[in-house]
Each structure stands twice: as C-alpha cells, then as structure tokens.
Amino acid sequence: MRQDCRTLILCAGLGLLAAGCPKGHSEYDLGAKAENLQDYDAALDYYQKAVKVDPHNATFRIRLNQARFEAGEMHIKRGLEMRKRGELDGAVLEFQKALAADPSSSIADQELNRTAEIIAEKNHANEAPPPTDHNQQPLASMPPEMKPLSRAPISMKMSNDAKIVFDTIGKEAGLTMVYDPDFQARRITVDFNNITLEQALEITALESKAVIKPVTENTLFVYPDQVQKRRDYDEEVVKTFYLSNVTQPQDITEIMTGLRQLFDLKRIQQVNSQNAIIVRDTPDKLMLIQKMIDDIDKAKPEVLIQVEVLQTNMDHLRDLGILPPQQVSVSVNNGTTTTSATTGTSTNTPTNGLTFNNLKHLNSGNYSITTPTATATAILADTETKIIQNPEIRSVDGQIAHLKIGQRIPVATGSFQAGVGVGATGGAGFVNPLVNTQFTYLDVGVNVDVTPRVHPDREVSMRLKIEVSSQLGVVNIGGISQPVISSRTIEHDIRLKEGEVNILGGLIERTDSENVNGWPGFAKLPILGRLFSDKKVDHQADEVLIVLSPRIVRMPYWTRANLRPLLSGSDQNPQVTRESELRAPQPQPAAQPPRQQPPASTNPTTAAPGASAANAGAVAKMRFEPQTLTLKAGQTATMGLVVENVNDLYSIPLLLQYDPKVISVEEVQHGGFLSNGGAQEISIVSQPFKDKGQYIISATRPPSTPGVSGSGTLLGLVVKAVAPGTSPLSIVQVNAKDSQQKPIQLVTSEATLQVQP
C-alpha cells in the first residue's frame, strides 16, 4: 500500500513538472540556435515544429514568419549569384526553394519565371521560329529593313531624271522603286565611284530632295522631302523607357523636359508609379533617346558625413563672507505714538496723542529695538558638463538631409492675454490665461541640414546649416511661462576633399561676475572687511566645437560609351547613322580568269554552255522559277531552282523553309546544271522535316571532277498544295563550294505560293 502511494506521488510530480514546462520550448531553442548560425532552413523547420506543438504561441509564430523571410532571401541571393555565373539549372532550384520556404515571396516567383525564360531562349536560339497563322502572327516591333539581293559596290556616272537614277540603282541591287504621285521630275547628275548601295541611295535622295522609305524588304518608296510628307509617311514606334535610378517624380520630369527640348517631342508621357517614360516617335529618335537615357540614368553619388559636436559647460561659484544686519527697527509705544527708525533713515508719525512733554517721561518699557541676525556664508560650487555627439548622415547627391538630436519644447504663439480679476482671497472670478493661445514646438539640441554635391575629382561641396541650441530657463510673459533658448548657428557653403577634417565653428563664451554685499565703508576694509561683507564670485564658460568630415560611398560611373558623341542628323530631321554607312566598301579581290578547259571531245566534264569570262565578274544568284505560283488545294506543281553567273560550282548544301500548313515539298529532282547537261551523274541527298516546314538538300558533283560555271536549273522541286493560304518558299541557308572547297557567295531570293480553295 505504501509502495503504491509512492508511485502515485511520483507520477503526479512528473505530470505537474511536464505541465509546467512550456510546449515546444525545446524546438524553439533549437530554431534560435540554427538562426544564429544562419542556417535558416533548419531554423524554419524547428520553428514549424514548435508552432505545430503550440499553435497559439505568438512568439513562436512571429519567429516562424521571420525565418520564412530570411530563408527565402537566402535562396534568392544564391539563385541570383548562380544565374550570374551561368548556372541556370541551379538557379531554378534555388528559386524553387525560396518559394517553398516563403510562398508569399513575389520576387522569388518573378526570378523563377525570368530564369525559365532565359533557359527557353537559350534552348530555342538555333531553332527556326515555328510558322504561325497569318491572323495570329506577332506584332512588328520596327519598320522593315532593306534587304537587297546584291550589295555589290556601285560605280556609275549618269545625268538623267531622278526616277531613272533611282530605278537604275534599284535594278543593280534587285530592289523595286515606288514613287509618290507628288514626286516631281528633276534632272540630276551623279558620279558614283565604288560606293555602297546605301550611300548611292542617300546621295541621290539629297540631290533630288527626296526621302526613301522601305515598304518591304525589297521595295522602296520615294516621296518629296517636305514637312507634311514626312508627317504622312514617317513610321512611328511606341517604346517604354524604364528608369532605374530615379527617386523622385521631379527627376522624371527633369529628364522628360530635357528630352522634349532636345528632340522636339510631342508624344511623351511620364508614369511616376513605374518610373517610366513612354514615347511615340520615329525609330531614329527613339535610338537617340535611348542613348540619352543610358547616359543620364545613373545611380546618384552618395556621401557619408561624419559630424562631431563637442559642447562643454563649466560653472565655478565662490560665496564667502559674513553678511551683517542691514536695518534696525525702534518702536516707541505709549498707546498713541509709534516711531520707526532704520539705518540711515528715520520716520516719525505724529498723532494727536503724542506731545513733546510726554518724551521726558519715556522709560525702557515704552520703546523696543529689533536687530536682525548676521549671516555667515561659505559656499564653493564647481559644475562641469561635457556633451559629445558623433552622428553620421548619409545623403544622396543634391538631396537635403536633416539631422535633429535633442528635444521639442512648446512655445506659446498667437493671441493670448494674462489672467484678469481679483485673486482668490477677494472672492472674484479668475479668467484662464490660456484662452486664444496656440503652441508651436521648437527643436532644441543639435540640428544639421546638409545638401552635398559630389564632384568627379572626389571633392564634395556642401551647403550647411548647423544649429546648436539649449534651454537656459523660463520667463513669465503675460502670465505664461516661456522658455529662454540660446542658439548658435553656422550657415555657409564649403568644398572639402574626401576625408578632409574641417572645424566649422569654435564658439567660446565666458561670463565672470563679482558681487559684494555689506556695510558701506566697512566692506572695503583690507582685512576686517570680511567680517562686514559677503563676496560672491561666479565664473561661467561655455565652449562648442563642431567638426565635419565627408566620406564618399558611391561615385558617379560614366562608361566610355556614355562619353562618346553620337551623330544625330540635321536640325529638321534627327536621325542616326551607322558607321558602316559612312565607310567606303572594301575593294573586292580581282576575279580569277577562267581556267582553260580541254576540248569537249577529250574531256566530257567541260564547263556549262554559256560560261564566259564575263560571267566570272557578275554576281552569283539563286532564285526560284517561277517566283509566284498559284495552286488549288491538293494540286501539285514543279518549281525550278535556278543559279545564275556561278563560277566553278562543285557542291551546294542548302535548307528550304516553308509553311507546312499551306504547302509541302514532296520530291527533289535533278535539274541538269551540276550534271553538265546529263553527261555525269551527281549525288543528291535530301531529308524532309514536314512538321517544321523544312527540307535539307545537298547536291554534289562526282569526285575528281571540276566545277560547273554559268547559269542553269540546279534542282526541280515538286510542291503540293495542302490548304488555302499563302506561304513563302525561301532558302534560309546555303553553303556552296567550288572544286577547291572554297565557299561561293550566292545571293538568294524567295518565291510566293498561294493556295486557293
């Protein structure tokens, strides 16, 4: 029985001990230790266990939320570092961990999506874009660029109508010229000597006062150079410029005002909520605006200003001496007369009851003399107060920074009046003196206002205002106690080097006072004067020293591209010009003379008919024949792939591209050109990719045979119409080589196939 009681008592004690221990305390302690070691994942796990044990503990839940944030930030930082190093897969994993730790982190979700986009772009960089439906094609971002069939240097001299000159240049490059109805005939003279196509068009446009606008990649529109015509025909682009380093709406307004003045912009809008500027104008102006924004959208310099304020107050008081009585009172009382006398003065008040005859009957009981006591004073008081303040102010270049250290003291302002009426002893009413009184608060202490400006030579200009103030006491004004405030203010502009220490102001105030109180004459005695006087000496000293030292923590960073000027066109026509457009074309290597071929009777692999020395200097081309073809759904046709002016062609691998939803290339046939009219067998290797709309073809002459020169049909393509629509048939890649395995440059074009229902 006794043993059972002991067991019961032991179990009850253990139960009480377990009930007294807080739930989840051990997990919470482990989480705190892990957090101190910056192992935020482990800390998050421990805090989650602690909250699970005691879900109503506010402390546990607060630390859990903090650990979620810290763990998420840690993984985001790691992911950014890995992405910067090019480790995209590891970065994705870190961002996923950040989301798992803190599902509410929007920055983790953004960075994860951004990294996934980078991976997708990298994987599909070398793939051809998939064909899209005509109605769902992406919107164009820029106007079309001119892509001529030939960029051979132009040498030409002629004097004729401007349209004829434009047409001649267009035929040389394989471009189609279209003219505005108001473009007037104007005779011009041009003399081109080995210049580029762009330079020839620009010179002709200047002479004919015209403007050239690409409508498609191979069609140019020419219209008169007039202000109204430019407004009618100039293409405009809308672009949003995001500013990364602006901190105030005034900064965006300043940038926008400068851009409007520089480029005469009419359609520009600032968006303060997104730190962005939206502009609609010509592509050339947008390029110039981008250049300006890249130059001025820089992180502003920052300065750390160290301020030291040393204030010392010293008060020395010495009060020594004996203050003797300074007045004596004599009273004569006989029931009718009272007389008082003081040192140096006497006062007699006669009444009807006092006569001179009564004075002879005065005795010691008829008068009294009152003498005050003397006071001996010996006081020595020394007070010394030192105030040392060392604040630091960090400010952005050009922005004012305020520092206030001290207290706010109320001061009555406005209209107020003192209390009126008889005091409480008179029984009359009393008016509160705070009626119609307002209060304002003064900042008393150390107040620093500084506006820094960082210079490229690492010097700092500062506009400073430093005020050191304190409350000396109070004074009663109109029944209200008003503070008495002492103030020392320094306000000026200075320029210092980085780290230079400057004493802005050393203010020293000394007050010496001496007060002697005693009997006249006796107080001035050399030694005995101490017995008849009290001497009070007070020395007060107040010193304030202010030291200032600037430290630059961020400097303006200008790259060489920011300092580089940019050609911006004329006053009426701002535009950009590429350097390649200003340079003369590189001289072409001299054409090799055609090799002497043996007679056809002795060597069957002779050059193709029509090949001559003149063809060797012409531009080699490749085109489809016909270039435009119309079919009905399900119909098939054969198109020829023709080469012109080729020299010593031995092999030609190429890649065709088309829309698989509209047409399909079913078969590749021999064209006869590489086989030299069928005299030799050639090797043709082809591989279709119908789902992607691609066809790889490679045609090669037999080994140990020379190439073929001239013009002719290279291949035959059997095309089938699949569904109604329009599809281009283009050569996206070609790698032709001669018999010496040297590359041959070929200018390619595309065909257009239209399928009708």
Side-chain angles (χ1 to χ4, degrees):
M1 184 68 180
R2 184 177 299 176
Q3 184 69 25
D4 295 338
C5 291
R6 291 178 180 177
T7 304
L8 181 61
I9 293 172
L10 180 61
C11 293
L14 293 176
L16 291 175
L17 181 62
C21 294
K23 299 178 180 179
H25 187 72
S26 59
E27 290 83 359
Y28 177 81
D29 291 340
L30 292 174
K33 292 180 181 179
E35 189 174 3
N36 292 333
L37 297 175
Q38 296 184 354
D39 188 359
Y40 298 111
D41 290 336
L44 178 61
D45 184 58
Y46 286 125
Y47 287 145
Q48 287 176 340
K49 293 179 180 178
V51 171
K52 186 176 181 180
V53 174
D54 189 2
H56 301 290
N57 193 314
T59 303
F60 292 176
R61 300 186 70 86
I62 291 173
R63 297 302 291 270
L64 173 61
N65 293 331
Q66 292 177 349
R68 285 186 184 278
F69 177 78
E70 295 292 344
E73 288 296 314
M74 178 188 66
H75 288 296
I76 290 174
K77 184 177 180 181
R78 291 179 181 175
L80 293 175
E81 293 176 353
M82 297 181 72
R83 189 174 68 187
K84 188 176 181 180
R85 297 194 301 264
E87 303 174 7
L88 300 180
D89 294 337
V92 169
L93 183 60
E94 290 296 332
F95 293 138
Q96 290 174 347
K97 291 181 179 179
L99 277 177
D102 187 6
S104 63
S105 176
S106 59
I107 186 65
D109 186 56
Q110 292 176 0
E111 297 299 338
L112 177 60
N113 294 334
R114 184 180 178 185
T115 308
E117 292 177 358
I118 295 175
I119 294 176
E121 292 177 0
K122 186 177 180 180
N123 292 337
H124 300 288
N126 298 326
E127 295 184 5
T132 57
D133 184 67
H134 180 72
N135 297 326
Q136 299 180 354
Q137 291 182 357
L139 301 178
S141 59
M142 297 294 288
E145 294 184 1
M146 181 179 62
K147 293 184 178 180
L149 298 179
S150 173
R151 289 188 176 274
I154 297 177
S155 297
M156 180 177 64
K157 182 177 181 180
M158 64 183 304
S159 177
N160 211 324
D161 184 72
K163 291 184 179 180
I164 298 178
V165 177
F166 276 121
D167 290 339
T168 304
I169 298 174
K171 291 180 180 179
E172 289 287 333
L175 298 174
T176 302
M177 311 301 292
V178 182
Y179 302 95
D180 183 85
D182 297 333
F183 184 69
Q184 298 179 358
R186 183 190 300 269
R187 188 176 184 85
I188 62 174
T189 301
V190 296
D191 187 1
F192 303 145
N193 183 18
N194 193 35
I195 64 175
T196 64
L197 171 64
E198 290 80 3
Q199 293 170 350
L201 292 173
E202 182 68 20
I203 295 172
T204 307
L206 288 175
E207 291 194 24
S208 59
K209 299 185 181 301
V211 180
I212 302 173
K213 169 190 173 182
V215 179
T216 63
E217 294 181 348
N218 59 354
T219 304
L220 301 183
F221 181 70
V222 182
Y223 60 90
D225 189 2
Q226 301 172 0
V227 176
Q228 186 59 42
K229 290 294 184 180
R230 284 186 176 272
R231 292 177 181 174
D232 294 340
Y233 293 127
D234 278 354
E235 298 283 353
E236 292 187 348
V237 179
V238 177
K239 186 174 182 179
T240 303
F241 300 91
Y242 291 96
L243 307 177
S244 304
N245 298 285
V246 297
T247 57
Q248 297 179 353
Q250 294 82 351
D251 298 337
I252 304 180
T253 303
E254 182 179 359
I255 294 175
M256 190 177 68
T257 303
L259 294 176
R260 184 184 287 113
Q261 293 293 333
L262 284 174
F263 304 110
D264 192 22
L265 301 178
K266 297 180 180 179
R267 298 177 180 88
I268 181 171
Q269 179 65 40
Q270 71 182 66
V271 184
N272 296 331
S273 60
Q274 298 294 330
N275 286 345
I277 296 176
I278 303 175
V279 184
R280 180 180 177 221
D281 218 300
T282 61
D284 286 350
K285 281 190 179 181
L286 292 183
M287 293 181 185
L288 293 172
I289 292 172
Q290 184 68 64
K291 159 68 175 173
M292 296 298 102
I293 291 179
D294 292 342
D295 292 346
I296 61 180
D297 187 22
K298 301 289 185 180
K300 293 185 178 180
E302 295 187 29
V303 183
L304 182 67
I305 303 172
Q306 298 175 340
V307 183
E308 294 183 3
V309 180
L310 292 83
Q311 182 176 359
T312 303
N313 298 324
M314 293 179 290
D315 190 0
H316 301 285
L317 174 64
R318 185 178 64 179
D319 190 356
L320 298 175
I322 299 175
L323 182 62
Q326 297 182 352
Q327 66 180 9
V328 177
S329 300
V330 179
S331 300
V332 179
N333 299 319
N334 59 355
T336 58
T337 303
T338 301
T339 303
S340 299
T342 60
T343 303
T345 63
S346 63
T347 303
N348 295 322
T349 306
T351 64
N352 295 332
L354 178 63
T355 64
F356 285 101
N357 292 329
N358 299 126
L359 295 177
K360 61 183 179 180
H361 300 292
L362 293 176
N363 54 34
S364 61
N366 297 116
Y367 64 91
S368 62
I369 300 175
T370 303
T371 304
T373 59
T375 303
T377 304
I379 299 175
L380 179 64
D382 290 340
T383 304
E384 183 174 351
T385 303
K386 293 184 178 180
I387 301 176
I388 301 177
Q389 296 174 333
N390 186 19
E392 293 183 349
I393 308 173
R394 181 165 178 170
S395 177
V396 179
D397 182 77
Q399 301 295 328
I400 187 171
H402 304 277
L403 175 66
K404 300 180 185 296
I405 302 175
Q407 55 185 343
R408 296 172 62 85
I409 297 179
V411 177
T413 59
S415 174
F416 61 94
Q417 59 184 4
V420 296
V422 185
T425 58
F430 187 78
V431 180
N432 192 340
L434 298 181
V435 175
N436 297 328
T437 302
Q438 296 85 35
F439 286 89
T440 185
Y441 287 86
L442 300 180
D443 294 313
V444 177
V446 178
N447 301 325
V448 181
D449 296 340
V450 57
T451 305
R453 179 70 68 180
V454 181
H455 301 282
D457 57 355
R458 303 193 70 86
E459 292 190 358
V460 182
S461 294
M462 290 177 288
R463 173 164 292 181
L464 282 168
K465 181 180 180 182
I466 299 180
E467 180 182 0
V468 181
S469 58
S470 61
Q471 182 179 358
L472 297 180
V474 295
V475 61
N476 191 291
I477 301 176
I480 299 179
S481 297
Q482 294 283 70
V484 178
I485 298 173
S486 68
S487 178
R488 302 169 183 84
T489 303
I490 300 174
E491 185 173 359
H492 59 177
D493 295 337
I494 60 173
R495 180 165 176 166
L496 302 175
K497 295 181 179 180
E498 182 186 10
E500 181 180 355
V501 178
N502 186 34
I503 299 176
L504 297 181
L507 306 179
I508 301 176
E509 180 181 352
R510 296 184 183 275
T511 303
D512 297 330
S513 63
E514 183 176 342
N515 185 18
V516 179
N517 192 5
W519 287 354
F522 293 94
K524 297 297 183 179
L525 295 177
I527 298 177
L528 298 178
R530 295 289 186 179
L531 301 176
F532 302 99
S533 65
D534 177 62
K535 187 176 183 180
K536 183 178 180 181
V537 180
D538 189 6
H539 299 286
Q540 295 181 359
D542 189 2
E543 298 182 4
V544 178
L545 185 66
I546 301 174
V547 181
L548 197 71
S549 178
R551 305 282 181 180
I552 299 176
V553 295
R554 179 180 285 118
M555 278 290 294
Y557 178 70
W558 298 299
T559 63
R560 182 172 297 179
N562 300 139
L563 302 177
R564 179 176 177 267
L566 188 65
L567 186 62
S568 59
S570 62
D571 180 49
Q572 298 297 327
N573 183 29
Q575 61 181 358
V576 296
T577 304
R578 293 175 174 82
E579 291 185 355
S580 59
E581 298 176 1
L582 303 176
R583 298 174 182 172
Q586 297 295 329
Q588 298 293 331
Q592 297 292 334
R595 293 180 297 176
Q596 187 69 28
Q597 299 290 346
S601 58
T602 59
N603 189 355
T605 59
T606 57
S612 63
N615 294 335
V619 178
K621 300 179 182 180
M622 180 181 295
R623 61 180 177 84
F624 292 97
E625 183 64 34
Q627 291 189 346
T628 303
L629 182 62
T630 301
L631 301 174
K632 293 185 178 181
Q635 186 179 358
T636 60
T638 302
M639 300 184 63
L641 186 58
V642 180
V643 292
E644 298 177 352
N645 304 322
V646 72
N647 185 35
D648 193 22
L649 178 61
Y650 178 79
S651 64
I652 180 168
L654 54 91
L655 173 63
L656 300 180
Q657 180 73 47
Y658 56 90
D659 188 352
K661 297 180 181 179
V662 180
I663 65 172
S664 173
V665 178
E666 299 292 327
E667 184 182 356
V668 178
Q669 300 176 352
H670 291 268
F673 178 73
L674 277 182
S675 62
N676 196 10
Q680 294 178 346
E681 292 292 335
I682 63 172
S683 173
I684 297 180
V685 179
S686 61
Q687 183 177 4
F689 297 92
K690 294 186 177 182
D691 55 339
K692 296 182 179 180
Q694 296 178 351
Y695 213 116
I696 299 176
I697 306 172
S698 178
T700 308
R701 284 179 57 80
S704 303
T705 58
V708 182
S709 301
S711 303
T713 302
L714 180 66
L715 298 170
L717 304 176
V718 179
V719 182
K720 180 179 180 181
V722 177
T726 302
S727 171
L729 180 59
S730 58
I731 303 172
V732 296
Q733 187 176 354
V734 62
N735 188 20
K737 294 183 179 181
D738 60 10
S739 59
Q740 304 298 322
Q741 297 302 310
K742 295 180 180 180
I744 299 176
Q745 299 297 329
L746 290 173
V747 177
T748 62
S749 62
E750 67 178 22
T752 302
L753 287 82
Q754 185 175 4
V755 179
Q756 298 177 351

